[in-house]
Amino acid sequence: MDKLKFRIGKNGVPILSKNEIESIAKLVLNDYDSEIFKRPKTLDVEDFTENYLNLDMDYQDLSYNQSILGMTVFNDCWVMVYDVENKKERYVEAKEGTIL
């Protein structure tokens, strides 16, 4: 698939309208598995993320009450996560292209 083009904010986060997100999602899903629109089925999120998008997945608790369900890292940084074992917040290093 050709590289998608869209506006990027100063912080590296894409700036997209709802319609742009829908259009891009359809293009990407069709490229990943064109059968998905002909015969609906579950999406293997880990395969899609790691092998198609070439992103890393890092399973972390992002908040003590699970109010934050996910995060995408656009630049190398440190991210605060919740350490369930020790019942406190801590920072972990996160690389660009990681989904938490």
Side-chain angles (χ1 to χ4, degrees):
M1 170 180 251
D2 292 332
K3 186 168 172 73
L4 298 170
K5 295 179 182 170
F6 40 80
R7 295 177 298 144
I8 302 287
K10 291 180 183 177
N11 59 358
V13 177
I15 301 169
L16 301 164
S17 70
K18 180 182 176 186
N19 288 338
E20 288 171 318
I21 293 170
E22 290 285 333
S23 295
I24 291 169
K26 287 176 185 173
L27 287 170
V28 169
L29 283 173
N30 189 59
D31 188 58
Y32 172 70
D33 182 359
S34 60
E35 294 296 312
I36 206 162
F37 292 108
K38 297 174 188 165
R39 190 185 58 212
K41 57 185 172 179
T42 59
L43 176 71
D44 182 338
V45 175
E46 289 174 342
D47 179 66
F48 176 73
T49 302
E50 295 174 341
N51 298 315
Y52 179 79
L53 297 176
N54 294 315
L55 299 174
D56 293 320
M57 292 183 77
D58 184 5
Y59 293 91
Q60 299 281 347
D61 286 298
L62 299 176
S63 59
Y64 75 93
N65 62 0
Q66 298 181 341
S67 61
I68 302 172
L69 300 177
M71 178 184 298
T72 303
V73 179
F74 291 92
N75 297 301
D76 293 351
C77 62
W78 289 86
V79 176
M80 189 177 295
V81 298
Y82 185 71
D83 183 340
V84 176
E85 217 172 88
N86 296 308
K87 296 183 179 173
K88 65 179 184 178
E89 296 175 328
R90 67 181 174 91
Y91 283 94
V92 296
E93 188 174 10
K95 299 287 184 189
E96 176 183 347
T98 299
I99 294 178
L100 297 158

